[in-house]
Amino acid sequence: MPQCRLYVSLSILIAILTQLVFSQKQNFTCHVTDSEHLHKHNFTELSSSDITIYDESADGNITLRLCSPLSQTCAGSSDYSICLRKHGTEIGLGKFPPLLQNNHTSMFTFTGDLCSNSKNYTVLIIMKCQENAIDTTIPQLIPKAKYDHCSTYFIWYTKWACNKPKNSNCTVVDERNNLYDLSPLTAYKNNYVVYIDDKGNLVMNINVCHSVIHEYGSACYGTAGACLAVYSNDSSNHEYINYGEVNQALTINNGNLEILYTHGHLCNDETEHSYLWTNITFICDPEATEYTQPMYKNNTSCNYEFVWKTSLACNKTYLNEYAKKCKVTNPRTKYIYNMKALSFGYVMTNTSDGTQYQLQICGPLRNSKCPQGTGVCNTKDFVSAGMANANLMWRHGGPYLNYTNGVKCQNGRNHYTIISFICGPEESTGLPIIVKNDSCSLIIYWYTNRACEKRLRCGEKETNLLPLVRTSKNYVAKGMGTEFHINICLGVIPTPGLACPPGSAVCQAARTSEGQYTNETSLGYPDETTILLDKQNVILNYSQGSPCPENPLKNLSSSFKFSCNYYGDHGSPEFENYSNCHFSFTWKTNIVCATLVGVWVPPCTVKDTTHANKVDLSLLYPKPVPRIVTGTGKNYSINICGGKEHCNGSAICQGTNGYGTITSVMFDYNSKAIKLVYRNGSTCSGDSYTSELSLICNDSVGIDSGPKLILHGYCMASFEWHTKIACPEKVMLDSRTSTYPVYTTETTPARESLQKNDAAVQTWAIVSALLLVAVVLIAWFCMRNPRSCSDLRYRINAITASRNHSTVQYSRVNTTEEAHLLLDTSDPCGDGEIDSDDELLGV
Ligand SMILES: *[C@@H]1O[C@H](CO)[C@@H](O)[C@H](O)[C@H]1NC(C)=O
Ligand SMILES: *[C@@H]1O[C@H](CO)[C@@H](O)[C@H](O)[C@H]1NC(C)=O
Ligand SMILES: *[C@@H]1O[C@H](CO)[C@@H](O)[C@H](O)[C@H]1NC(C)=O
Ligand SMILES: *[C@@H]1O[C@H](CO)[C@@H](O)[C@H](O)[C@H]1NC(C)=O
Ligand SMILES: *[C@@H]1O[C@H](CO)[C@@H](O)[C@H](O)[C@H]1NC(C)=O
Ligand SMILES: *[C@@H]1O[C@H](CO)[C@@H](O)[C@H](O)[C@H]1NC(C)=O
Ligand SMILES: *[C@@H]1O[C@H](CO)[C@@H](O)[C@H](O)[C@H]1NC(C)=O
Ligand SMILES: *[C@@H]1O[C@H](CO)[C@@H](O)[C@H](O)[C@H]1NC(C)=O
Ligand SMILES: *[C@@H]1O[C@H](CO)[C@@H](O)[C@H](O)[C@H]1NC(C)=O
Ligand SMILES: *[C@@H]1O[C@H](CO)[C@@H](O)[C@H](O)[C@H]1NC(C)=O
Ligand SMILES: *[C@@H]1O[C@H](CO)[C@@H](O)[C@H](O)[C@H]1NC(C)=O
Ligand SMILES: *[C@@H]1O[C@H](CO)[C@@H](O)[C@H](O)[C@H]1NC(C)=O
């Protein structure tokens, strides 16, 4: 809703901008009085220094200063307030002074250098109220529209853009002495918005125990708690109607919490002769814990009625009763997590000191020597590490239980235990693991499918990062004097001593002088799917991590940029930089490459070195005779496995002309083809004959349909050969289940024990080798996913020349064996075939 609303307000604001007539420059003051001359907005405090913001679409840095010219010159002039710097060039996006206007919302309009023929650069900065913002917020860049690169828009949330608010008492006690507090619902930045009609012409802005944020779109006079915007076809005729002032405390009416906003605008209804008012009734809904919204119920000529379902309207007794269910709802998605199935007794051993704990989920332990009601029992001296409850709670990263009131520990506090349920790899062992303990708390992680709301499918569509997903040991990168524990599309794998916020995909941790992990911070969760940036680069973003230390209003986030590295392996992440609460990593890998280099293994096998795919081409020759292809009056004889005996070592021969020896093998995973490139054949007009042959996967033609000539030139020829042997081996699909356990049975050994124990190192090496094999197998399986094949077809066109090119082209012809032949192949990925393969793959 807020985004939608933002969009609506923005589009209106942008429309206004186009109507602006620039008034004469005058002495600039950095404050403006709002259009009703009631409140002064003074932005001087925001302009104490230059602010730099990275603009991704321009790939440059925008430096800006709101109320004065920049401290440094831009494009040789000191007149600019906004400057774009990229790769050594400087563009003045905005000259000082700006035009500062207030049409309920304050806006700065800057004009800069000439952008295109008739247009100058403009920068519009929209100042939006956020009452609880810290002093030094920075503006947010709105992504640019493709068709208009001359205009830049920022939104700047700041307390300096607010009108003076009015509050009312938001707590109430009922006759049974239950206390209710609705203040968590008070909005300090974007109002609650309720669309009254379908067309969006009647929009009610609402706040709770607090006046609505005054801005364009909710510009009622006074301190309204409910403000109706009436939009008309004629944009100059919008109306804002005060539907009640914030003037009375939260009350209880007929057993329901109720807010009344009264004494708004005069009501036109002659029979009632009163003022407009609004009535919001709050209904208890234990599952509506966050992101709840008011709902329109009814209206009369003088009144609007809303109902609002929220857990804040429930009494504590009821909430606790409800919570005993061992269930919790993700408030954002309404997905219900249920851990009842796990409510058995377990015994866990703390690997660091050998202490054993008994654990019972959502209920007290039975047959335990610990005090009655204990949920986690330390069996060393039978003390409670926390009393049981079934109050499953939710936080980003998954549901959890907090067992409190255990044995007394330090400073009179009681021991507690957090049990976090985390969506684990598909074959998670499903047992609780102790990740950290100190004298007063115990942290248990439980990787289970029951905590999976949706699995992020990293292997879908354009990007297939599945081969990089770790199920047994995190990637570790270093930077800023810390370690980054990283997984792809999945939360980090539990590591003893590393207590990351559960479910985080990147966890930053420092080490103490004793080598213990400390200050574990989440750099984001695996919520978003991968983005194809361009042909060979894939971006993966993790957001909503721990609060940002420099700006508590923001959360830490991270991103990974995967770049194709043809000759590399899966690669590993490297920390690049940290800026603006965001960590950037780069990752060079062959996984995002559409085509991989293979090698020729005599006598007649080709092998993809990175994915260990091997194809025996002698299968194409059940009889040891060359295949003959006739085309344009010439006969070509093709003998891939012929070696020296055939045509002076050439695999392809026409008359006495040899068409070259093998120089490169390419595995094109998108079009499921294997390309063989032959060069340095017999002399042809001072050059030499060359040829190439594409083996194209085609399941429906038996062993083969025979090679076909598809292109020929004066000194070259190119052939296609549809055959089953270029297809993914079915055995891979069948053995899928047996390849997975290799992943999961392996556990992360503690670093220390590895160093001490050579035998362990060897075991680890063997397990790693097995793991590598499994990764390779799965990688191959994934690369052959026909869906990514069809979706990604265009990627290959970057590597291969378009089919429309009438001649075969070579690009970057190296003298090395890795010359890339640029030649398109036909599309072997018919859609009919995809469905059946999908079934096989189970996707
Ligand atoms: C701007 O301010 C200066 C000094 O305060 C004054 O001399 C000048 O007339 C002002 N110009 C305008 C256009 O108001
Ligand atoms: C605006 O704020 C600045 C800094 O807080 C102050 O110096 C200045 O006097 C204010 N201007 C007005 C007109 O209130
Ligand atoms: C933007 O600024 C950052 C930090 O000063 C710098 O590292 C980066 O290279 C700049 N980017 C460009 C495109 O100038
Ligand atoms: C537009 O840019 C040109 C060239 O920089 C400048 O001379 C002109 O004054 C600009 N127009 C406005 C309205 O600022
Ligand atoms: C708000 O109302 C509650 C009960 O109605 C009362 O106890 C409390 O003192 C009031 N708070 C304020 C700040 O007036
Ligand atoms: C607004 O425009 C719509 C369609 O363009 C029209 O049906 C409607 O009558 C107009 N309303 C007013 C108040 O002019
Ligand atoms: C404020 O916005 C309205 C609606 O777009 C417009 O009609 C009006 O002229 C604007 N007022 C000012 C002072 O710009
Ligand atoms: C507010 O609305 C509810 C129904 O939505 C109604 O039961 C209640 O009586 C109303 N309050 C007042 C003061 O009219
Ligand atoms: C709305 O209020 C009117 C007048 O009180 C009543 O007749 C009508 O039934 C109400 N409609 C709904 C949907 O509650
Ligand atoms: C709490 O609320 C529930 C349902 O809303 C009600 O049945 C129960 O009596 C209330 N309990 C107390 C102690 O107020
Ligand atoms: C769990 O309960 C303890 C003790 O009341 C408290 O200090 C801690 O913050 C709680 N943790 C969470 C994640 O709720
Ligand atoms: C952990 O964070 C605290 C508080 O920010 C800091 O003082 C301490 O130095 C950090 N520890 C390490 C090992 O970085």
Side-chain angles (χ1 to χ4, degrees), residues 469-482:
V469 177
R470 285 281 177 91
T471 55
S472 60
K473 194 166 184 272
N474 299 308
Y475 296 96
V476 180
K478 296 206 165 137
M480 300 169 69
T482 61

Side-chain angles (χ1 to χ4, degrees), residues 253-254 256 258 260 277 279-281 297 303 305-307:
N253 181 3
N254 290 332
N256 288 321
E258 187 181 87
L260 289 174
W277 61 288
N279 169 356
I280 310 168
T281 305
K297 188 170 174 215
N303 156 262
E305 264 179 38
F306 296 90
V307 289

Side-chain angles (χ1 to χ4, degrees), residues 16 19 101-103 216 235-236 238:
I16 298 169
Q19 301 169 3
Q101 288 182 309
N102 181 296
N103 198 344
Y216 193 88
S235 69
S236 64
H238 301 330

Side-chain angles (χ1 to χ4, degrees), residues 209-465:
C209 307
H210 186 286
S211 49
V212 294
I213 305 298
H214 183 101
E215 62 187 8
Y216 193 88
S218 67
C220 284
Y221 191 89
T223 47
C227 171
L228 183 71
V230 183
Y231 295 114
S232 68
N233 290 2
D234 171 9
S235 69
S236 64
N237 251 335
H238 301 330
E239 252 191 295
Y240 301 102
I241 305 170
N242 182 334
Y243 256 87
E245 288 278 314
V246 177
N247 52 12
Q248 33 186 302
L250 177 66
T251 56
I252 294 180
N253 181 3
N254 290 332
N256 288 321
L257 302 191
E258 187 181 87
I259 287 179
L260 289 174
Y261 294 133
T262 61
H263 289 90
H265 197 276
L266 197 66
C267 179
N268 290 329
D269 190 333
E270 278 160 17
T271 58
E272 286 201 40
H273 210 77
S274 62
Y275 296 92
L276 299 177
W277 61 288
T278 298
N279 169 356
I280 310 168
T281 305
F282 295 86
I283 310 279
C284 161
D285 177 354
E287 302 217 325
T289 52
E290 262 182 87
Y291 310 109
T292 65
Q293 282 276 336
M295 286 175 298
Y296 165 69
K297 188 170 174 215
N298 203 352
N299 72 309
T300 65
S301 54
C302 295
N303 156 262
Y304 268 91
E305 264 179 38
F306 296 90
V307 289
W308 197 323
K309 290 186 174 172
T310 168
S311 62
L312 296 170
C314 305
N315 63 52
K316 293 255 161 20
T317 325
Y318 183 72
L319 270 188
N320 290 343
E321 285 296 316
Y322 184 83
K324 286 203 181 119
K325 290 177 174 166
C326 204
K327 283 186 198 166
V328 71
T329 304
N330 175 348
R332 204 185 295 250
T333 60
K334 304 288 176 234
Y335 179 85
I336 299 170
Y337 296 92
N338 185 348
M339 298 297 151
K340 264 226 155 66
L342 303 178
S343 52
F344 297 105
Y346 299 90
V347 176
M348 304 167 293
T349 307
N350 185 352
T351 45
S352 64
D353 62 6
T355 311
Q356 286 204 331
Y357 292 88
Q358 296 167 318
L359 167 71
Q360 169 85 32
I361 299 301
C362 287
L365 285 161
R366 280 155 284 203
N367 311 322
S368 163
K369 288 190 198 160
C370 271
Q372 181 125 28
T374 295
V376 183
C377 174
N378 179 337
T379 61
K380 203 168 85 193
D381 30 22
F382 295 104
V383 293
S384 169
M387 305 308 276
N389 65 61
N391 186 8
L392 194 61
M393 293 182 280
W394 191 86
R395 62 182 163 189
H396 204 145
Y400 70 101
L401 288 165
N402 194 354
Y403 283 2
T404 57
N405 268 321
V407 67
K408 277 260 177 297
C409 48
Q410 290 160 348
N411 345 329
R413 287 162 63 214
N414 293 82
H415 200 286
Y416 67 91
T417 297
I418 305 267
I419 305 144
S420 289
F421 301 93
I422 305 164
C423 174
E426 249 153 296
E427 284 77 19
S428 325
T429 50
L431 286 173
I433 306 155
I434 296 174
V435 280
K436 207 155 204 173
N437 70 319
D438 60 30
S439 57
C440 251
S441 69
L442 184 65
I443 296 184
I444 297 170
Y445 281 5
W446 196 326
Y447 285 79
T448 166
N449 270 331
R450 304 198 159 268
C452 300
E453 177 170 341
K454 56 160 193 207
R455 244 172 222 292
L456 196 62
R457 288 225 168 259
C458 251
E460 266 180 336
K461 294 227 163 172
E462 289 92 343
T463 53
N464 187 349
L465 299 179

